[in-house]
Amino acid sequence: MPTTISSREFNHDTSRAKKAALSGPVFITDRGKPAHVLLCIEEYQRLTGSQPSIIDILAMPVEEEVEFEAPRATIKTRPVDLS
């Protein structure tokens, strides 16, 4: 369900607008006319069809540990004549 707040209300209580954006778009008005829309990132990504970048994914807080064991690297070498 959309929420509508004025620019003044948004400036004074940003956290309320952010909480409201979790349940739907927040329309921010200037002089009574809609001027901006605040969306949660998941809704924005759904609308734009964009995927988070690897930077975004790595920056996300980790809620559980992920076990990962990298495979042992094998480096092939060959003799070099340095004479």
Side-chain angles (χ1 to χ4, degrees), residues 7-23:
S7 291
R8 177 174 282 178
E9 291 172 308
F10 178 76
N11 289 333
H12 289 291
D13 197 357
T14 305
S15 64
R16 178 180 147 235
K18 290 180 357 183
K19 286 177 189 172
L22 295 174
S23 58

Side-chain angles (χ1 to χ4, degrees), residues 4 12 16 20 22 27 35 40 44-45 51-52 54 56-58 61-62 65 67-68 70 73 75 77 81-82:
T4 302
H12 289 291
R16 178 180 147 235
L22 295 174
F27 295 96
C40 66
Y44 170 79
Q45 289 172 339
Q51 297 295 318
I54 187 69
D56 295 331
I57 292 169
L58 291 173
V62 177
E65 286 191 33
E67 290 188 32
F68 174 76
I75 301 172
T77 60
D81 183 10
L82 298 175

